[in-house]
Amino acid sequence: MFDLLKIIEEQALGDKKFFGGNSINMVDLIFALFTCWIQTTEQVVGIKVLEPSRLPRLHAWVKNFKEEPIIKENLPDPERLLAYYTRLTSNLVSKPT
């Protein structure tokens, strides 16, 4: 996964604040969905993926994205997302095959 994120960081994001430049566009919104799940998974497994030392531009993108007022007001609650993720994964693990 790290290799894929490094490609996204270098080739899609580059040195821009957002994927589309100085303002949020559809690519940012779609990548944000992926990022929410990455951060939730980081909490569950205890491994940080979006570390500033390994992916500095993506790490900065997450920070910039979350600081936008419209985004900040509408982000999912991390605790509720974690609870949902935990229920979802426990259901997948406990289902008989």
Side-chain angles (χ1 to χ4, degrees):
M1 181 188 328
F2 174 76
D3 293 337
L4 176 63
L5 291 172
K6 195 67 175 168
I7 291 168
I8 291 170
E9 179 181 70
E10 291 173 355
Q11 296 182 16
L13 182 59
D15 292 327
K16 301 178 297 251
K17 181 176 181 180
F18 298 110
F19 287 98
N22 288 325
S23 59
I24 292 173
N25 68 13
M26 286 300 290
V27 176
D28 295 291
L29 296 174
I30 291 168
F31 192 70
L33 295 172
F34 179 66
T35 304
C36 284
W37 288 112
I38 287 176
Q39 292 178 319
T40 302
T41 304
E42 286 177 337
Q43 286 183 295
V44 172
V45 299
I47 298 172
K48 295 291 183 185
V49 176
L50 295 172
E51 283 292 305
S53 61
R54 295 183 77 195
L55 296 164
R57 289 177 280 184
L58 280 178
H59 181 78
W61 174 87
V62 169
K63 185 178 179 208
N64 291 332
F65 185 80
K66 288 182 173 184
E67 288 176 355
E68 287 291 312
I70 191 70
I71 301 301
K72 195 176 205 176
E73 294 168 12
N74 291 289
L75 281 172
D77 176 44
E79 294 303 317
R80 289 184 67 197
L81 194 57
L82 180 60
Y84 175 77
Y85 182 90
T86 303
R87 281 193 315 274
L88 180 66
T89 56
S90 69
N91 286 340
L92 292 173
V93 171
S94 66
K95 296 262 185 210
T97 56

